[in-house]
Amino acid sequence: MLLSISMMLLAGMFSGWICRKLKLPSLLGMMLSGVILGPYVLNLIDASILNISADIRKIALIIILTRAGLTLNISDLKKVGRPAVLMCFVPATLEIIGMVLLAPRLFDVSVLEAAVIGSVVGAVSPAVIVPKMIKLIDEGYGTDKSIPQLILAGASVDDVFVIVLFAAFTGLAQGEQISVMSFVNIPVSIFLGIAIGLFVGFLLSKFFTKVHIRDTAKVIIFLSISFILVAAEDSITGIITFSALIAIMFIGIAVQKFSKDVSVRLSLKFNKLWVGAEILLFILVGASVDISYVTVAAAPAIALIFGVLCFRMLGVFLCMMRTELTFKERLFCMLAYMPKATVQAAIGGVPLAMGLSCGKIVLTVAAMAILITAPLGAFLIELTYKKLLRPGKKIL
């Protein structure tokens, strides 16, 4: 295991450095390193690591969502209001509709199977988007109109919406009956996550203010509580649940609200943690990509992905209507809302494991979506943000 971890970290750092030198996003090099080191090419990653790959990826996601919460200013987000809410579900809904229209024509699948594929591909990747938006907030680009905050909020809730739809569609594909309550649970899980996060964050901010402990100890407490929330969400089997990832982000928001000095110091600590977590996340995402499946139906899968991306961009454009954003700013939002990686890596293989006839196609499209949209989206964000957004006040 130790040898595998060392290879992953060194290969990820080196490939990321090479990509930066070539003016490409570093995550592209990390993902490609994961593909090469993974079980479908050189098979150099220890099986014990691959067995806990999902947990490691979730830890990395917790770290980046915590950073987002400690950086995201709710008062700025209130400026955009309605578009932030619409971004949580409109682009994903239109992308799934696009999948239902296009997939049966490109693959031999039914409308329901196309909906399953759409619910896998429809989620954006917080692991790609969040660090990019944090960078924009730090540099002050688009902050005068809260554009990074808008994209941050939408990306965080979008995944919850899509995952619930995925559970519903796969249940229908297996012949299960889907109750109305399973869809009612979407807003319930979001609002419960927000409430729990704000409450826990308020308690933590008071504790950190009154009890003098090192910032490193605060990070350990923060992470431990986050792990408990994720475990609690996984253990709840009833109709009503809550979104642990949204709760984690709102813990950071509450700490920032009630104890600004603590949030600044914690943000610096989590920035350092992200250096290693980012490498492990994208190496393991790359390792989950099965090249043999990807090569089977590459051409129609690529056509399908770019086709449904057009529907997603249309959804983002509709969310921006009747706002003060310029055409360039709207274009940036459309480009920034395309990366996919984490959710697709986590659930792309589930339909195949369930024995659904569309399982291989789902996995192929999910893998291609990761390989295409994650680096492309990150690259376009880096390439365009200084050209399409106006510089505003930097966050110190």
Side-chain angles (χ1 to χ4, degrees):
M1 178 185 287
L2 293 179
L3 179 60
S4 294
I5 292 174
S6 66
M7 284 192 299
M8 291 163 62
L9 291 174
L10 291 174
M13 291 174 65
F14 180 71
S15 59
W17 176 78
I18 291 293
C19 283
R20 286 194 296 272
K21 287 293 183 180
L22 297 173
K23 306 299 182 182
L24 297 172
S26 59
L27 68 88
L28 175 59
M30 296 173 191
M31 286 180 61
L32 291 177
S33 294
V35 172
I36 294 169
L37 294 175
Y40 303 108
V41 183
L42 297 180
N43 195 25
L44 296 178
I45 299 178
D46 193 277
S48 58
I49 296 177
L50 295 175
N51 290 337
I52 60 171
S53 173
D55 293 318
I56 296 175
R57 293 199 303 266
K58 188 165 286 188
I59 290 171
L61 191 57
I62 286 171
I63 291 171
I64 193 59
L65 286 176
T66 301
R67 284 183 65 205
L70 292 169
T71 308
L72 186 60
N73 192 327
I74 290 296
S75 61
D76 288 340
L77 191 58
K78 289 179 181 178
K79 297 177 184 177
V80 287
R82 177 186 58 84
V85 175
L86 294 177
M87 288 281 278
C88 297
F89 64 92
V90 171
T93 300
L94 282 185
E95 186 166 5
I96 293 172
I97 291 173
M99 188 67 75
V100 169
L101 294 174
L102 298 178
R105 290 169 171 78
L106 292 171
F107 293 97
D108 185 20
V109 295
S110 66
V111 170
L112 179 57
E113 289 172 332
V116 172
I117 302 172
S119 63
V120 171
V121 177
V124 296
S125 175
V128 179
I129 291 177
V130 172
K132 296 297 181 185
M133 293 307 107
I134 290 176
K135 178 182 178 181
L136 266 61
I137 292 172
D138 290 341
E139 296 183 6
Y141 279 90
T143 53
D144 57 334
K145 295 183 181 179
S146 304
I147 293 172
Q149 293 91 331
L150 164 67
I151 296 172
L152 267 177
S156 302
V157 180
D158 170 279
D159 287 358
V160 178
F161 173 70
V162 171
I163 289 171
V164 173
L165 290 181
F166 171 75
F169 291 142
T170 52
L172 285 173
Q174 289 183 306
E176 297 177 5
Q177 296 295 321
I178 303 300
S179 66
V180 175
M181 286 303 297
S182 62
F183 290 96
V184 172
N185 188 44
I186 296 175
V188 171
S189 64
I190 291 170
F191 287 119
L192 278 179
I194 293 172
I196 292 171
L198 291 176
F199 177 69
V200 173
F202 171 77
L203 294 179
L204 277 181
S205 65
K206 296 303 179 184
F207 175 75
F208 290 156
T209 302
K210 294 182 179 180
V211 180
H212 179 70
I213 55 176
R214 296 178 61 181
D215 291 336
T216 303
K218 293 173 184 173
V219 170
I220 294 172
I221 293 171
F222 209 121
L223 286 176
S224 299
I225 292 174
S226 299
F227 297 160
I228 291 170
L229 288 173
V230 171
E233 181 189 16
D234 292 339
S235 65
I236 296 175
T237 57
I239 295 176
I240 302 301
T241 183
F242 71 98
S243 171
L245 295 180
I246 289 178
I248 290 164
M249 188 173 72
F250 272 85
I251 292 175
I253 290 172
V255 170
Q256 179 196 164
K257 176 73 174 179
F258 298 108
S259 184
K260 183 67 176 179
D261 292 340
V262 172
S263 71
V264 170
R265 296 199 303 272
L266 285 179
S267 182
L268 293 174
K269 290 287 186 180
F270 277 99
N271 286 347
K272 295 175 181 178
L273 277 178
W274 177 243
V275 173
E278 179 185 33
I279 297 172
L280 292 177
L281 173 62
F282 289 109
I283 286 280
L284 291 172
V285 167
S288 68
V289 176
D290 188 340
I291 296 298
S292 63
Y293 285 132
V294 171
T295 56
V296 170
I302 292 171
L304 182 62
I305 290 164
F306 280 106
V308 297
L309 279 178
C310 294
F311 280 84
R312 168 170 284 275
M313 290 182 174
L314 174 61
V316 176
F317 182 80
L318 293 176
C319 294
M320 300 296 114
M321 292 180 66
R322 298 175 63 187
T323 66
E324 297 179 355
L325 300 186
T326 65
F327 175 77
K328 287 184 176 181
E329 291 166 337
R330 297 182 189 195
L331 177 59
F332 176 81
C333 292
M334 293 162 66
L335 296 175
Y337 220 53
M338 72 162 62
K340 305 167 187 299
T342 316
V343 173
Q344 289 72 29
I347 66 175
V350 172
L352 183 62
M354 288 179 171
L356 299 182
S357 59
C358 62
K360 286 188 177 182
I361 296 174
V362 174
L363 190 56
T364 300
V365 176
M368 292 300 296
I370 295 170
L371 290 174
I372 293 171
T373 65
L376 179 62
F379 175 72
L380 289 175
I381 291 171
E382 286 288 337
L383 181 67
T384 63
Y385 79 93
K386 290 184 179 180
K387 300 175 183 178
L388 300 179
L389 301 181
R390 292 187 298 179
K393 183 179 179 182
K394 292 186 177 181
I395 305 298
L396 301 177

